Amino acid sequence: MTESATTGTGPATAHGLLSGLDEIAEIGRDTRRGGYSRHLWQPADRELRDWFAERAVRLGLDVETDRNGNTWAWWGPRGDDAIVVGSHLDSVPGGGAYDGPLGVVSALEAIYRLQASGFRPARPCAVLVFAEEEGSRFGIACLGSRLMTGALDADRARALVDAEGISLGAAASAAGIDPARLGEDRTALARIGLFVELHVEQGRGLIDLGSPVAVASSILAHGRWRVTFTGEGNHAGATRMTDRRDPMLAAGRSMLAVRDAAVASPGSRATIGRIEAVPGGTNVISSQVAVWLDARATEDAAARDLVTEITARVSEAAAAEGCTAVVAEESWSGAVAFDPALRDRLVRSLHGVPTLPTGAGHDAGVLSSRLPTAMIFVRNPTGISHSPEEFATLDDCLAGVTALEQVLRELL
Ligand SMILES: [Zn+2]
């Protein structure tokens, strides 16, 4: 949360969109990285869920958690074919205040406004908060929606481990979720007639378009790969420079090769944002170094080709240092084209706002394989996201709420 957002000078609302962001502003602050670290079933996540339930109950909504740890708040009776809006409350390590929470507080605010105007929904309606959207604890993004749709196998999910070596199954148990019941949830899917996610934009698209909001057109194909370099662990002082097989150097060469491969493939993106050295001592040549690759492209084939090219370059880089490299896929999401009919309906009801592709993955993208989904983006004046610097102005946030309110009024 930044000062200008908490004390913004735009029009205040009775219920208070940004008071929602204010109320959670101290939850999960990361004093080392800055920003927030809010991860699945850890104390900050529990506090955020309690906050959400309390906020929802104040609006007269009925709160429940499904068997994959996603939290629902129903406006009126539960039922199939509901209009569902929402996002997530978890963050990347050291993330910003808006990615996820803006969609959740905007959904609550839009419902508040509809209630205050005397509007009565003709269809079931719910706010849905997905679990572990960022994949920060167990490594798989959109965990809650992937489990719900069956895109992630329940056995594989239960065996995932966090940085402390705690399995997802054990963490679920500790959070009161029965690990045996994780997995495809047809009851929950039948409940969602369509899903609309409002989200802060994570690039500079809306700055260029000069609009506070847009409707999403597509999501890039994207995935995560673990690259493990193996060399020879040895003494940093006693080993001559010519006698080394240092996997850290293989990783270093590879990072440049990854950048070069992505630059040579227009529209593609490739990032190495995480590295782990074994054993990780200052006076020790590593025996093994793992890095994680995030690669994205507009089409599935282009993303696959990029990773094939990167794999070849990484192997070359490793060989040049007398090391080996193994590239293993950890997750994959094909390119998403959002439901055209729903997209066009949103654009019409929002008086012709622009449409915009995004390079970021979202639960709305995962759900799109099973039901119509749409997204509304709110302008990010710096284009910075997944960082404490992430920001949106109060006026743009309020424009987002107004858009969501308008869409709900039309869909319900
Ligand atoms: Zn997000």
Side-chain angles (χ1 to χ4, degrees):
M1 207 61 227
T2 66
E3 196 57 28
S4 50
T6 53
T7 60
T9 52
T13 58
H15 182 59
L17 162 70
L18 288 172
S19 76
L21 290 178
D22 280 351
E23 285 164 16
I24 61 172
E26 294 308 316
I27 302 176
R29 273 196 187 278
D30 189 324
T31 50
R32 187 169 70 84
R33 300 183 181 97
Y36 297 97
S37 290
R38 298 161 164 169
H39 307 321
L40 183 68
W41 299 325
Q42 290 180 343
D45 185 59
R46 280 204 299 276
E47 245 186 283
L48 288 165
R49 286 166 187 265
D50 290 347
W51 165 83
F52 173 73
E54 197 266 324
R55 263 277 179 161
V57 166
R58 244 196 280 163
L59 290 175
L61 311 185
D62 227 353
V63 178
E64 64 177 348
T65 299
D66 69 25
R67 52 198 182 82
N68 291 308
N70 307 305
T71 304
W72 302 64
W74 288 92
W75 180 17
R78 283 157 219 207
D80 285 353
D81 208 23
I83 304 299
V84 181
V85 290
S87 191
H88 62 95
L89 290 170
D90 67 305
S91 75
V92 294
Y98 298 83
D99 179 352
L102 182 64
V104 176
V105 297
S106 297
L108 293 173
E109 176 70 7
I111 287 178
Y112 167 78
R113 289 191 190 179
L114 290 168
Q115 289 175 338
S117 74
F119 180 86
R120 304 289 288 263
R123 284 174 76 164
C125 177
V127 180
L128 178 51
V129 178
F130 279 104
E132 178 92 329
E133 194 271 347
E134 302 288 5
S136 300
R137 182 167 180 193
F138 291 103
I140 294 195
C142 301
L143 186 81
S145 54
R146 280 184 208 264
L147 281 168
M148 183 192 284
T149 56
L152 174 63
D153 178 68
D155 283 335
R156 188 178 163 211
R158 280 186 282 268
L160 294 168
V161 287
D162 70 6
E164 267 82 57
I166 299 167
S167 74
L168 187 143
S173 280
I177 302 282
D178 179 0
R181 300 189 69 234
L182 291 170
E184 187 177 4
D185 187 346
R186 296 208 174 129
T187 308
L189 284 170
R191 289 270 164 94
I192 312 175
L194 56 85
F195 179 66
V196 179
E197 179 170 3
L198 178 145
H199 204 282
V200 67
E201 209 221 326
Q202 296 178 282
R204 301 177 56 85
L206 276 167
I207 305 172
D208 299 340
L209 290 168
S211 170
V213 298
V215 172
S217 54
S218 59
I219 298 181
L220 299 185
H222 59 283
R224 297 179 183 188
W225 290 261
R226 180 191 174 112
V227 187
T228 308
F229 299 96
T230 304
E232 185 176 65
N234 213 332
H235 195 288
T239 315
R240 284 192 298 250
M241 296 309 287
T242 48
D243 291 344
R244 300 180 178 211
R245 295 196 291 121
D246 185 346
M248 189 63 85
L249 296 177
R253 281 178 186 258
S254 296
M255 289 176 202
L256 298 173
V258 164
R259 190 266 312 270
D260 294 346
V263 167
S265 167
S268 298
R269 280 133 209 197
T271 305
I272 288 177
R274 182 177 163 204
I275 182 164
E276 277 178 19
V278 176
T282 304
N283 56 352
V284 182
I285 300 166
S286 303
S287 56
Q288 200 164 71
V289 171
V291 303
W292 279 261
L293 167 71
D294 175 306
R296 309 181 188 225
T298 45
E299 307 289 337
D300 292 5
R304 293 289 190 195
D305 288 351
L306 175 63
V307 174
T308 302
E309 175 64 22
I310 285 173
T311 301
R313 293 191 188 205
V314 157
S315 299
E316 250 171 64
E321 296 295 337
C323 299
T324 58
V326 175
V327 180
E329 181 178 305
E330 291 201 334
S331 70
W332 166 256
S333 303
V336 170
F338 285 105
D339 185 79
L342 182 58
R343 177 200 65 206
D344 291 348
R345 194 165 170 197
L346 261 59
V347 168
R348 269 199 311 278
S349 85
L350 299 176
H351 313 295
V353 296
T355 59
L356 191 69
T358 176
H362 296 285
D363 295 304
V366 173
L367 286 188
S368 73
S369 64
R370 303 293 289 268
L371 49 99
T373 67
M375 292 190 73
I376 297 169
F377 290 126
V378 170
R379 178 164 51 195
N380 177 334
T382 61
I384 294 174
S385 187
H386 283 184
S387 154
E389 309 307 316
E390 183 181 83
F391 182 62
T393 67
L394 177 59
D395 283 349
D396 286 356
C397 290
L398 292 174
V401 174
T402 301
L404 197 56
E405 177 193 359
Q406 179 58 34
V407 161
L408 279 175
R409 201 177 278 281
E410 185 165 321
L411 294 173
L412 284 169

mmCIF file of all heavy atoms in Angstrom, residues 125-147:
data_model
loop_
_atom_site.group_PDB
_atom_site.id
_atom_site.type_symbol
_atom_site.label_atom_id
_atom_site.label_comp_id
_atom_site.label_asym_id
_atom_site.label_seq_id
_atom_site.Cartn_x
_atom_site.Cartn_y
_atom_site.Cartn_z
ATOM 1 N N CYS A 125 -25.113 -15.620 -7.138
ATOM 2 C CA CYS A 125 -23.920 -14.778 -7.307
ATOM 3 C C CYS A 125 -22.954 -15.051 -6.163
ATOM 4 O O CYS A 125 -23.372 -15.204 -5.007
ATOM 5 C CB CYS A 125 -24.340 -13.308 -7.307
ATOM 6 S SG CYS A 125 -22.946 -12.156 -7.428
ATOM 7 N N ALA A 126 -21.672 -15.123 -6.468
ATOM 8 C CA ALA A 126 -20.684 -15.371 -5.420
ATOM 9 C C ALA A 126 -19.391 -14.633 -5.706
ATOM 10 O O ALA A 126 -19.065 -14.344 -6.858
ATOM 11 C CB ALA A 126 -20.396 -16.873 -5.304
ATOM 12 N N VAL A 127 -18.667 -14.339 -4.612
ATOM 13 C CA VAL A 127 -17.285 -13.863 -4.717
ATOM 14 C C VAL A 127 -16.405 -15.070 -4.414
ATOM 15 O O VAL A 127 -16.641 -15.785 -3.434
ATOM 16 C CB VAL A 127 -16.992 -12.740 -3.703
ATOM 17 C CG1 VAL A 127 -15.540 -12.270 -3.826
ATOM 18 C CG2 VAL A 127 -17.947 -11.577 -3.895
ATOM 19 N N LEU A 128 -15.406 -15.298 -5.244
ATOM 20 C CA LEU A 128 -14.546 -16.475 -5.089
ATOM 21 C C LEU A 128 -13.088 -16.035 -4.929
ATOM 22 O O LEU A 128 -12.580 -15.250 -5.731
ATOM 23 C CB LEU A 128 -14.708 -17.371 -6.325
ATOM 24 C CG LEU A 128 -13.888 -18.651 -6.435
ATOM 25 C CD1 LEU A 128 -14.007 -19.509 -5.179
ATOM 26 C CD2 LEU A 128 -14.351 -19.463 -7.644
ATOM 27 N N VAL A 129 -12.458 -16.523 -3.861
ATOM 28 C CA VAL A 129 -11.045 -16.215 -3.608
ATOM 29 C C VAL A 129 -10.258 -17.501 -3.807
ATOM 30 O O VAL A 129 -10.421 -18.467 -3.053
ATOM 31 C CB VAL A 129 -10.835 -15.680 -2.173
ATOM 32 C CG1 VAL A 129 -9.354 -15.414 -1.926
ATOM 33 C CG2 VAL A 129 -11.644 -14.409 -1.953
ATOM 34 N N PHE A 130 -9.417 -17.516 -4.839
ATOM 35 C CA PHE A 130 -8.664 -18.730 -5.152
ATOM 36 C C PHE A 130 -7.438 -18.893 -4.257
ATOM 37 O O PHE A 130 -6.827 -17.904 -3.841
ATOM 38 C CB PHE A 130 -8.230 -18.728 -6.616
ATOM 39 C CG PHE A 130 -9.329 -19.155 -7.535
ATOM 40 C CD1 PHE A 130 -10.020 -18.226 -8.291
ATOM 41 C CD2 PHE A 130 -9.691 -20.489 -7.621
ATOM 42 C CE1 PHE A 130 -11.046 -18.621 -9.130
ATOM 43 C CE2 PHE A 130 -10.715 -20.898 -8.459
ATOM 44 C CZ PHE A 130 -11.391 -19.957 -9.215
ATOM 45 N N ALA A 131 -7.079 -20.152 -3.987
ATOM 46 C CA ALA A 131 -5.934 -20.484 -3.136
ATOM 47 C C ALA A 131 -4.649 -20.522 -3.970
ATOM 48 O O ALA A 131 -4.652 -21.047 -5.086
ATOM 49 C CB ALA A 131 -6.160 -21.853 -2.484
ATOM 50 N N GLU A 132 -3.561 -19.949 -3.408
ATOM 51 C CA GLU A 132 -2.206 -20.091 -3.987
ATOM 52 C C GLU A 132 -2.183 -19.784 -5.483
ATOM 53 O O GLU A 132 -1.693 -20.559 -6.293
ATOM 54 C CB GLU A 132 -1.683 -21.524 -3.702
ATOM 55 C CG GLU A 132 -0.311 -21.889 -4.270
ATOM 56 C CD GLU A 132 0.875 -21.655 -3.363
ATOM 57 O OE1 GLU A 132 0.822 -20.722 -2.549
ATOM 58 O OE2 GLU A 132 1.869 -22.404 -3.480
ATOM 59 N N GLU A 133 -2.673 -18.604 -5.859
ATOM 60 C CA GLU A 133 -2.644 -18.231 -7.283
ATOM 61 C C GLU A 133 -1.212 -18.059 -7.764
ATOM 62 O O GLU A 133 -0.873 -18.373 -8.900
ATOM 63 C CB GLU A 133 -3.443 -16.939 -7.501
ATOM 64 C CG GLU A 133 -3.754 -16.636 -8.967
ATOM 65 C CD GLU A 133 -2.692 -15.822 -9.675
ATOM 66 O OE1 GLU A 133 -1.790 -15.260 -9.003
ATOM 67 O OE2 GLU A 133 -2.738 -15.737 -10.907
ATOM 68 N N GLU A 134 -0.355 -17.525 -6.898
ATOM 69 C CA GLU A 134 1.011 -17.211 -7.322
ATOM 70 C C GLU A 134 1.942 -18.423 -7.284
ATOM 71 O O GLU A 134 3.062 -18.359 -7.785
ATOM 72 C CB GLU A 134 1.605 -16.090 -6.453
ATOM 73 C CG GLU A 134 0.799 -14.794 -6.475
ATOM 74 C CD GLU A 134 0.919 -14.036 -7.805
ATOM 75 O OE1 GLU A 134 1.542 -14.561 -8.740
ATOM 76 O OE2 GLU A 134 0.384 -12.915 -7.871
ATOM 77 N N GLY A 135 1.513 -19.485 -6.638
ATOM 78 C CA GLY A 135 2.391 -20.663 -6.558
ATOM 79 C C GLY A 135 3.632 -20.423 -5.727
ATOM 80 O O GLY A 135 4.664 -21.087 -5.915
ATOM 81 N N SER A 136 3.573 -19.488 -4.789
ATOM 82 C CA SER A 136 4.782 -19.104 -4.054
ATOM 83 C C SER A 136 5.202 -20.121 -3.008
ATOM 84 O O SER A 136 6.368 -20.187 -2.656
ATOM 85 C CB SER A 136 4.573 -17.750 -3.371
ATOM 86 O OG SER A 136 4.291 -16.773 -4.338
ATOM 87 N N ARG A 137 4.250 -20.898 -2.480
ATOM 88 C CA ARG A 137 4.649 -21.876 -1.460
ATOM 89 C C ARG A 137 4.974 -23.240 -2.068
ATOM 90 O O ARG A 137 5.961 -23.859 -1.699
ATOM 91 C CB ARG A 137 3.544 -22.019 -0.395
ATOM 92 C CG ARG A 137 3.958 -22.978 0.700
ATOM 93 C CD ARG A 137 3.083 -22.933 1.929
ATOM 94 N NE ARG A 137 3.566 -23.903 2.914
ATOM 95 C CZ ARG A 137 2.912 -24.285 3.972
ATOM 96 N NH1 ARG A 137 1.728 -23.762 4.255
ATOM 97 N NH2 ARG A 137 3.422 -25.185 4.799
ATOM 98 N N PHE A 138 4.153 -23.684 -3.019
ATOM 99 C CA PHE A 138 4.343 -25.049 -3.539
ATOM 100 C C PHE A 138 4.774 -25.094 -5.007
ATOM 101 O O PHE A 138 4.869 -26.162 -5.597
ATOM 102 C CB PHE A 138 3.080 -25.880 -3.305
ATOM 103 C CG PHE A 138 2.849 -26.164 -1.843
ATOM 104 C CD1 PHE A 138 1.902 -25.458 -1.126
ATOM 105 C CD2 PHE A 138 3.631 -27.099 -1.174
ATOM 106 C CE1 PHE A 138 1.711 -25.702 0.238
ATOM 107 C CE2 PHE A 138 3.457 -27.357 0.179
ATOM 108 C CZ PHE A 138 2.496 -26.647 0.888
ATOM 109 N N GLY A 139 5.035 -23.914 -5.611
ATOM 110 C CA GLY A 139 5.688 -23.883 -6.919
ATOM 111 C C GLY A 139 4.777 -23.975 -8.123
ATOM 112 O O GLY A 139 5.245 -23.841 -9.250
ATOM 113 N N ILE A 140 3.478 -24.211 -7.915
ATOM 114 C CA ILE A 140 2.576 -24.302 -9.072
ATOM 115 C C ILE A 140 1.560 -23.167 -8.992
ATOM 116 O O ILE A 140 0.782 -23.085 -8.036
ATOM 117 C CB ILE A 140 1.890 -25.677 -9.126
ATOM 118 C CG1 ILE A 140 2.968 -26.733 -9.383
ATOM 119 C CG2 ILE A 140 0.794 -25.695 -10.177
ATOM 120 C CD1 ILE A 140 2.477 -28.066 -9.818
ATOM 121 N N ALA A 141 1.606 -22.291 -9.986
ATOM 122 C CA ALA A 141 0.692 -21.143 -10.003
ATOM 123 C C ALA A 141 -0.741 -21.613 -10.246
ATOM 124 O O ALA A 141 -0.967 -22.673 -10.827
ATOM 125 C CB ALA A 141 1.120 -20.160 -11.086
ATOM 126 N N CYS A 142 -1.696 -20.822 -9.779
ATOM 127 C CA CYS A 142 -3.126 -21.125 -9.949
ATOM 128 C C CYS A 142 -3.466 -22.504 -9.392
ATOM 129 O O CYS A 142 -4.231 -23.267 -9.999
ATOM 130 C CB CYS A 142 -3.553 -21.016 -11.405
ATOM 131 S SG CYS A 142 -3.276 -19.370 -12.110
ATOM 132 N N LEU A 143 -2.901 -22.815 -8.239
ATOM 133 C CA LEU A 143 -3.082 -24.144 -7.647
ATOM 134 C C LEU A 143 -4.566 -24.448 -7.398
ATOM 135 O O LEU A 143 -5.051 -25.531 -7.722
ATOM 136 C CB LEU A 143 -2.298 -24.203 -6.326
ATOM 137 C CG LEU A 143 -2.271 -25.554 -5.650
ATOM 138 C CD1 LEU A 143 -1.212 -26.444 -6.280
ATOM 139 C CD2 LEU A 143 -1.992 -25.419 -4.162
ATOM 140 N N GLY A 144 -5.281 -23.491 -6.788
ATOM 141 C CA GLY A 144 -6.687 -23.724 -6.428
ATOM 142 C C GLY A 144 -7.555 -23.987 -7.646
ATOM 143 O O GLY A 144 -8.402 -24.895 -7.637
ATOM 144 N N SER A 145 -7.347 -23.207 -8.721
ATOM 145 C CA SER A 145 -8.179 -23.408 -9.912
ATOM 146 C C SER A 145 -7.723 -24.639 -10.693
ATOM 147 O O SER A 145 -8.538 -25.349 -11.287
ATOM 148 C CB SER A 145 -8.177 -22.157 -10.796
ATOM 149 O OG SER A 145 -6.870 -21.756 -11.125
ATOM 150 N N ARG A 146 -6.426 -24.928 -10.663
ATOM 151 C CA ARG A 146 -5.947 -26.135 -11.365
ATOM 152 C C ARG A 146 -6.454 -27.397 -10.681
ATOM 153 O O ARG A 146 -6.761 -28.397 -11.345
ATOM 154 C CB ARG A 146 -4.421 -26.192 -11.375
ATOM 155 C CG ARG A 146 -3.783 -25.314 -12.425
ATOM 156 C CD ARG A 146 -2.283 -25.534 -12.383
ATOM 157 N NE ARG A 146 -1.560 -24.367 -12.818
ATOM 158 C CZ ARG A 146 -1.101 -24.185 -14.058
ATOM 159 N NH1 ARG A 146 -1.276 -25.109 -14.965
ATOM 160 N NH2 ARG A 146 -0.452 -23.088 -14.367
ATOM 161 N N LEU A 147 -6.527 -27.381 -9.344
ATOM 162 C CA LEU A 147 -7.095 -28.535 -8.643
ATOM 163 C C LEU A 147 -8.579 -28.652 -8.961
ATOM 164 O O LEU A 147 -9.088 -29.732 -9.259
ATOM 165 C CB LEU A 147 -6.878 -28.397 -7.134
ATOM 166 C CG LEU A 147 -5.471 -28.760 -6.641
ATOM 167 C CD1 LEU A 147 -5.270 -28.307 -5.191
ATOM 168 C CD2 LEU A 147 -5.221 -30.274 -6.751
#
